[in-house]
Amino acid sequence: MSKSLTKKQSGNSVIKYDINSVQRILTKRQNKANEIIQNYRYNLPPYENKVLTYIVSHINWDDKDVDGIDINIHEFHALCDLAPPSGGKDFAYFGQAVNYLMNARIARLKEAESEDVQKMEVFSWLKNDFEVNIKNADFTVHLHDKVKGYFLDMQSIYSRTGNGYTSCYVSAIMRMKGLYSGRLYELLKSYLNLGSWTVSIDDLRSLITPKENPETRNLEKNDGKKKGESSRKGGKKSPNLLESYLEFKDFNKFVLKPAIAEIN
């Protein structure tokens, strides 16, 4: 019989989730095609990036297809080492993050057809529908048809994309606190087999600058709070790297060094 963690909620209600499931997910690897990591532009806020990581952690390396994926807010908070969900607001934040992933755009410039024609491919992470079990705080979500191939059947990914894939431990992403650490981590991992990666500072800024979702950004701001304390208040808007830290010494001090320190 699997062990369970019990978390007391407001009132007399008690929520249980499977600790073995949490531990299993944390030891899993997220497999993502290098094509989407390196060549597409997407700047998810840290909370939403973790929700996406949680979603795709349910996909196995050799899965050929995936339909509905079941996710749970209590399990998600445990994976992120966040305070337990405390009621309707946390539930709403999680739902808003799912909604954000249905609307957040991934973009890539396609090869120019001519000097006058340059097209861009744009799509979202999730299909524009999901189901909610309000009693159990379960969501069923569906990856967009154009994106799910980048997480499926890694054995054939090179023949399909002309590039390999990157495998990251889910725990490495879910437990990161920095604004830029998660995206920088997967970019560095995707070039690991080459031994080095040369990128301009301007391109790096555009690759790792997170977008804002004011509904959820404060959940990432623990500011030294103990586990279990509220982290919804006091969050500050993260700087836009395209407008801030324009001198390399500042970019290095406030962005690169903290992110690399957390990655290491």
Side-chain angles (χ1 to χ4, degrees):
M1 180 179 295
S2 64
K3 298 178 182 178
S4 294
L5 288 178
T6 302
K7 299 291 184 184
K8 288 187 177 181
Q9 304 300 304
S10 57
N12 296 320
S13 61
V14 174
I15 297 294
K16 293 183 178 181
Y17 55 87
D18 186 359
I19 188 173
N20 288 340
S21 177
V22 172
Q23 293 172 339
R24 176 182 57 79
I25 293 174
L26 284 174
T27 57
K28 283 189 67 174
R29 290 179 178 267
Q30 172 193 261
N31 300 302
K32 184 187 293 187
N34 288 341
E35 174 70 12
I36 200 168
I37 295 174
Q38 298 171 357
N39 297 326
Y40 283 80
R41 290 294 188 268
Y42 58 91
N43 303 322
L44 293 174
Y47 184 84
E48 283 72 10
N49 187 53
K50 291 177 182 180
V51 172
L52 179 64
T53 298
Y54 174 42
I55 291 170
V56 300
S57 72
H58 293 76
I59 302 175
N60 296 314
W61 180 83
D62 56 351
D63 283 347
K64 305 295 184 184
D65 198 8
V66 63
D67 191 15
I69 298 175
D70 295 326
I71 56 177
N72 178 277
I73 184 175
H74 305 285
E75 187 172 69
F76 173 74
H77 273 237
L79 288 166
C80 294
D81 201 30
L82 290 171
S86 59
K89 287 186 177 180
D90 283 323
F91 188 84
Y93 287 141
F94 190 71
Q96 287 158 355
V98 171
N99 185 67
Y100 188 96
L101 291 171
M102 292 191 299
N103 294 285
R105 296 292 180 252
I106 315 163
R108 182 190 68 165
L109 285 174
K110 302 180 74 173
E111 290 188 17
E113 298 179 5
S114 68
E115 292 183 0
D116 300 322
V117 179
Q118 177 73 74
K119 294 183 178 179
M120 179 177 286
E121 183 179 21
V122 181
F123 48 87
S124 60
W125 293 102
L126 300 179
K127 289 183 178 180
N128 196 26
D129 64 90
F130 61 90
E131 299 174 4
V132 184
N133 183 329
I134 298 175
K135 182 177 180 181
N136 297 325
D138 289 331
F139 288 70
T140 301
V141 299
H142 305 266
L143 288 173
H144 193 285
D145 290 337
K146 285 192 174 183
V147 78
K148 67 181 181 180
Y150 293 110
F151 298 99
L152 293 167
D153 192 15
M154 292 296 110
Q155 191 170 8
S156 70
I157 197 69
Y158 188 85
S159 63
R160 289 188 285 120
T161 69
N163 204 337
Y165 70 94
T166 294
S167 183
C168 302
Y169 280 112
V170 172
S171 59
I173 300 172
M174 301 294 276
R175 298 293 171 91
M176 286 182 178
K177 304 296 185 185
L179 289 171
Y180 316 105
S181 307
R183 180 72 172 119
L184 184 60
Y185 173 67
E186 68 173 8
L187 279 164
L188 292 173
K189 282 275 288 183
S190 74
Y191 289 101
L192 187 62
N193 65 316
L194 299 179
S196 65
W197 174 39
T198 302
V199 61
S200 71
I201 296 300
D202 287 342
D203 283 345
L204 185 58
R205 289 176 189 277
S206 68
L207 283 168
I208 68 174
T209 296
K211 299 292 185 183
E212 283 290 347
N213 184 356
E215 301 295 343
T216 60
R217 71 165 188 252
N218 293 338
L219 288 172
E220 292 299 310
K221 305 291 184 179
N222 286 318
D223 297 328
K225 292 181 183 295
K226 296 178 181 179
K227 185 176 179 181
E229 292 182 338
S230 173
S231 59
R232 283 196 296 274
K233 296 182 179 180
K236 297 179 181 179
K237 186 175 181 179
S238 61
N240 183 336
L241 295 185
L242 303 179
E243 302 171 355
S244 306
Y245 309 133
L246 297 182
E247 298 214 4
F248 177 74
K249 64 178 182 179
D250 295 326
F251 182 71
N252 188 44
K253 178 179 179 180
F254 295 108
V255 178
L256 290 183
K257 283 188 175 181
I260 291 171
E262 184 170 34
I263 291 169
N264 290 332

